[in-house]
Structures are given as structure tokens and as C-alpha cells.
Amino acid sequence: MVKHLIQDLARALHPRLAENFDIPDTDNQDADLFEKVVEAWQTHRWLKVSYRPLNKTTAHEWVIAPLWFEPAIWSDSNYVICHVQMGNTLKWMTLKLDRIEKVFITGDKFEAQPIDSILNTLQKTWGIWVGEGAPVRVVLHFDLRVLDRLRETRWHPTQKLTNLDNGKIQWEALISEPREMLSWIRGWGADVEVIEPNFLRDEIGAESERMARMYGRMNTQRKGFI
């Protein structure tokens, strides 16, 4: 039931969007949650939700306005783009649908956002994640041998490519939540070096050291084949 519901929603947003949704099997409780979120989006009503972020033991209690739905094309997750009431201000946030534990539709209505406004906000995100802070400058140095692969896709609306004197290619962009880039960066292996921000460089560096130890590559005096 919920599969058809979200597929119908996707078709309403865009005829081909439904093909991109990888919708997991759900039980009756999950279906009821999804239906309420979609109903609130259709009727422009605020939702009270209980949301448990990744790796957190307690859930947040938020009042949200569901504005848009998006699949993550690199994973099997689906998200709701929303306004969240934070005191007297509204903040853009992206909530993973299967982390919503409880839903209550209020009687209060919110003002629907023009799709152009929503898309303009999403332009400064990596994928569809909207962070709470200002966008961060991310700088990556790629090996020249992956230049064609790097150029064949526009990975982010704010990206800029620069040829460096050392033969590397500098890729930079403004990203709201750089940690969501980790799996993409890992996919380039040793053909990419994280330059900025420092916390992202440190995280990738630490992972590389763990992998080197795992495969016995930390000893530079390894014997060669005879």
C-alpha cells in the first residue's frame, strides 16, 4: 500500500521520478506513518514528528512542514525536505523517512513553497542533504588520469575545476554537509586527496591508515618478490 502511495506521489512531482524510488517493504505501522506525512504535504498542514537521527539513542520531537520528497540516487533511502520550527525561526532540514517514529497531523496550515525556491535551496547541498549551518568550502585534488571521468558529470551546481601546476586537477564547491560526500570520495580511492576542510581530510586520512594496517602496507621495508 505505501509503495503505491509513494510512487503516486513521485509521479505527481515528476512522471519519471517514480522510477528512481527504491521503496522498501513496510509493515502497517510504517505505512500509516508514510500516509500521514504525504497527507500533510498534500494539505499543507504542520506535522509533529518523533525523529531519531543516525547513531542517536533518543528521538527529537519536532514540528515540521513537509515541502518536498527526494530519493537519494546513490542509496536506497527516501527523504522529506522540510521546514522545522526552531523557536521563532524556520530551518531547512532533510529527514530520512524511515527514521520518523511517530507522526501527528496538526490543525495548523503552512504556506506552500514554490518549487523554484526549494530547488534553489537544494543547489547548495550534496545530494539532498540540507545542513543547519553555512555551506563549507570543499577542495579536492584529483589525479590527471581520472580527468575524463571527473568532467563527464557535473557533481554539484557550485563546483569549479582548475588545472594545477603539479598536474593535478582541483575540484572545489560549497557543500552544506561535507560528511555526506565520504562514500563518493572513497570511491575515487588514491586518485583523490582531500585538501579542505581539515576535519574531512583527517577523517579520510585516518581511514586510509586503518586500511594500510589491515593490508600490511604500513611497513615500508616490505620484501619484494624474488
PDB file of all heavy atoms in Angstrom, residues 80-93:
ATOM      1  N   VAL A  80      12.334  13.476   3.157  1.00  0.00           N
ATOM      2  CA  VAL A  80      11.401  14.585   3.078  1.00  0.00           C
ATOM      3  C   VAL A  80      12.169  15.868   3.383  1.00  0.00           C
ATOM      4  O   VAL A  80      12.878  15.975   4.384  1.00  0.00           O
ATOM      5  CB  VAL A  80      10.207  14.414   4.055  1.00  0.00           C
ATOM      6  CG1 VAL A  80      10.663  14.213   5.488  1.00  0.00           C
ATOM      7  CG2 VAL A  80       9.255  15.612   3.946  1.00  0.00           C
ATOM      8  N   ILE A  81      12.068  16.828   2.461  1.00  0.00           N
ATOM      9  CA  ILE A  81      12.661  18.148   2.664  1.00  0.00           C
ATOM     10  C   ILE A  81      11.625  18.987   3.391  1.00  0.00           C
ATOM     11  O   ILE A  81      10.462  19.057   2.964  1.00  0.00           O
ATOM     12  CB  ILE A  81      13.012  18.824   1.323  1.00  0.00           C
ATOM     13  CG1 ILE A  81      13.770  17.851   0.414  1.00  0.00           C
ATOM     14  CG2 ILE A  81      13.817  20.097   1.563  1.00  0.00           C
ATOM     15  CD1 ILE A  81      15.071  17.364   0.968  1.00  0.00           C
ATOM     16  N   CYS A  82      12.017  19.629   4.491  1.00  0.00           N
ATOM     17  CA  CYS A  82      11.007  20.292   5.309  1.00  0.00           C
ATOM     18  C   CYS A  82      11.545  21.537   6.000  1.00  0.00           C
ATOM     19  O   CYS A  82      12.746  21.762   6.072  1.00  0.00           O
ATOM     20  CB  CYS A  82      10.470  19.320   6.363  1.00  0.00           C
ATOM     21  SG  CYS A  82      11.734  18.647   7.463  1.00  0.00           S
ATOM     22  N   HIS A  83      10.604  22.343   6.458  1.00  0.00           N
ATOM     23  CA  HIS A  83      10.885  23.409   7.404  1.00  0.00           C
ATOM     24  C   HIS A  83      10.667  22.846   8.808  1.00  0.00           C
ATOM     25  O   HIS A  83       9.677  22.168   9.066  1.00  0.00           O
ATOM     26  CB  HIS A  83       9.957  24.598   7.186  1.00  0.00           C
ATOM     27  CG  HIS A  83      10.446  25.561   6.165  1.00  0.00           C
ATOM     28  ND1 HIS A  83       9.609  26.445   5.512  1.00  0.00           N
ATOM     29  CD2 HIS A  83      11.687  25.797   5.676  1.00  0.00           C
ATOM     30  CE1 HIS A  83      10.326  27.173   4.671  1.00  0.00           C
ATOM     31  NE2 HIS A  83      11.571  26.792   4.753  1.00  0.00           N
ATOM     32  N   VAL A  84      11.585  23.151   9.708  1.00  0.00           N
ATOM     33  CA  VAL A  84      11.469  22.717  11.096  1.00  0.00           C
ATOM     34  C   VAL A  84      11.388  23.950  11.987  1.00  0.00           C
ATOM     35  O   VAL A  84      12.187  24.882  11.830  1.00  0.00           O
ATOM     36  CB  VAL A  84      12.671  21.849  11.522  1.00  0.00           C
ATOM     37  CG1 VAL A  84      12.532  21.424  12.978  1.00  0.00           C
ATOM     38  CG2 VAL A  84      12.800  20.629  10.618  1.00  0.00           C
ATOM     39  N   GLN A  85      10.423  23.969  12.880  1.00  0.00           N
ATOM     40  CA  GLN A  85      10.295  25.085  13.810  1.00  0.00           C
ATOM     41  C   GLN A  85      11.374  24.996  14.874  1.00  0.00           C
ATOM     42  O   GLN A  85      11.439  24.021  15.623  1.00  0.00           O
ATOM     43  CB  GLN A  85       8.912  25.087  14.464  1.00  0.00           C
ATOM     44  CG  GLN A  85       7.777  25.450  13.535  1.00  0.00           C
ATOM     45  CD  GLN A  85       6.433  25.509  14.251  1.00  0.00           C
ATOM     46  OE1 GLN A  85       6.343  25.174  15.430  1.00  0.00           O
ATOM     47  NE2 GLN A  85       5.407  25.934  13.555  1.00  0.00           N
ATOM     48  N   MET A  86      12.234  26.015  14.921  1.00  0.00           N
ATOM     49  CA  MET A  86      13.281  26.110  15.934  1.00  0.00           C
ATOM     50  C   MET A  86      13.096  27.445  16.654  1.00  0.00           C
ATOM     51  O   MET A  86      13.627  28.470  16.228  1.00  0.00           O
ATOM     52  CB  MET A  86      14.669  26.040  15.286  1.00  0.00           C
ATOM     53  CG  MET A  86      14.971  24.730  14.588  1.00  0.00           C
ATOM     54  SD  MET A  86      15.243  23.399  15.776  1.00  0.00           S
ATOM     55  CE  MET A  86      15.678  22.047  14.677  1.00  0.00           C
ATOM     56  N   GLY A  87      12.303  27.424  17.726  1.00  0.00           N
ATOM     57  CA  GLY A  87      11.976  28.672  18.404  1.00  0.00           C
ATOM     58  C   GLY A  87      11.114  29.541  17.499  1.00  0.00           C
ATOM     59  O   GLY A  87      10.060  29.116  17.014  1.00  0.00           O
ATOM     60  N   ASN A  88      11.606  30.748  17.228  1.00  0.00           N
ATOM     61  CA  ASN A  88      10.870  31.673  16.370  1.00  0.00           C
ATOM     62  C   ASN A  88      11.347  31.641  14.919  1.00  0.00           C
ATOM     63  O   ASN A  88      10.942  32.484  14.117  1.00  0.00           O
ATOM     64  CB  ASN A  88      10.988  33.104  16.915  1.00  0.00           C
ATOM     65  CG  ASN A  88      10.334  33.264  18.274  1.00  0.00           C
ATOM     66  OD1 ASN A  88       9.293  32.652  18.544  1.00  0.00           O
ATOM     67  ND2 ASN A  88      10.931  34.079  19.139  1.00  0.00           N
ATOM     68  N   THR A  89      12.210  30.706  14.605  1.00  0.00           N
ATOM     69  CA  THR A  89      12.751  30.642  13.251  1.00  0.00           C
ATOM     70  C   THR A  89      12.411  29.304  12.601  1.00  0.00           C
ATOM     71  O   THR A  89      12.080  28.325  13.273  1.00  0.00           O
ATOM     72  CB  THR A  89      14.284  30.815  13.247  1.00  0.00           C
ATOM     73  OG1 THR A  89      14.871  29.732  13.982  1.00  0.00           O
ATOM     74  CG2 THR A  89      14.666  32.132  13.892  1.00  0.00           C
ATOM     75  N   LEU A  90      12.488  29.285  11.271  1.00  0.00           N
ATOM     76  CA  LEU A  90      12.295  28.073  10.495  1.00  0.00           C
ATOM     77  C   LEU A  90      13.627  27.677   9.873  1.00  0.00           C
ATOM     78  O   LEU A  90      14.338  28.520   9.328  1.00  0.00           O
ATOM     79  CB  LEU A  90      11.252  28.293   9.392  1.00  0.00           C
ATOM     80  CG  LEU A  90       9.828  28.592   9.841  1.00  0.00           C
ATOM     81  CD1 LEU A  90       8.941  28.814   8.628  1.00  0.00           C
ATOM     82  CD2 LEU A  90       9.277  27.442  10.677  1.00  0.00           C
ATOM     83  N   LYS A  91      13.957  26.402   9.951  1.00  0.00           N
ATOM     84  CA  LYS A  91      15.200  25.916   9.363  1.00  0.00           C
ATOM     85  C   LYS A  91      14.904  24.816   8.358  1.00  0.00           C
ATOM     86  O   LYS A  91      14.031  23.973   8.574  1.00  0.00           O
ATOM     87  CB  LYS A  91      16.141  25.391  10.449  1.00  0.00           C
ATOM     88  CG  LYS A  91      16.689  26.486  11.358  1.00  0.00           C
ATOM     89  CD  LYS A  91      17.797  25.963  12.240  1.00  0.00           C
ATOM     90  CE  LYS A  91      18.405  27.093  13.075  1.00  0.00           C
ATOM     91  NZ  LYS A  91      19.534  26.635  13.922  1.00  0.00           N
ATOM     92  N   TRP A  92      15.656  24.852   7.258  1.00  0.00           N
ATOM     93  CA  TRP A  92      15.565  23.775   6.284  1.00  0.00           C
ATOM     94  C   TRP A  92      16.259  22.545   6.856  1.00  0.00           C
ATOM     95  O   TRP A  92      17.357  22.629   7.381  1.00  0.00           O
ATOM     96  CB  TRP A  92      16.265  24.164   4.989  1.00  0.00           C
ATOM     97  CG  TRP A  92      15.562  25.205   4.184  1.00  0.00           C
ATOM     98  CD1 TRP A  92      15.710  26.554   4.279  1.00  0.00           C
ATOM     99  CD2 TRP A  92      14.613  24.979   3.147  1.00  0.00           C
ATOM    100  NE1 TRP A  92      14.908  27.185   3.362  1.00  0.00           N
ATOM    101  CE2 TRP A  92      14.223  26.238   2.651  1.00  0.00           C
ATOM    102  CE3 TRP A  92      14.066  23.822   2.583  1.00  0.00           C
ATOM    103  CZ2 TRP A  92      13.308  26.380   1.614  1.00  0.00           C
ATOM    104  CZ3 TRP A  92      13.146  23.960   1.551  1.00  0.00           C
ATOM    105  CH2 TRP A  92      12.776  25.232   1.078  1.00  0.00           C
ATOM    106  N   MET A  93      15.611  21.391   6.716  1.00  0.00           N
ATOM    107  CA  MET A  93      16.241  20.136   7.114  1.00  0.00           C
ATOM    108  C   MET A  93      15.773  19.035   6.177  1.00  0.00           C
ATOM    109  O   MET A  93      14.723  19.142   5.541  1.00  0.00           O
ATOM    110  CB  MET A  93      15.927  19.779   8.565  1.00  0.00           C
ATOM    111  CG  MET A  93      16.546  20.703   9.588  1.00  0.00           C
ATOM    112  SD  MET A  93      16.387  20.120  11.295  1.00  0.00           S
ATOM    113  CE  MET A  93      17.516  18.725  11.269  1.00  0.00           C
TER     114      MET A  93
END
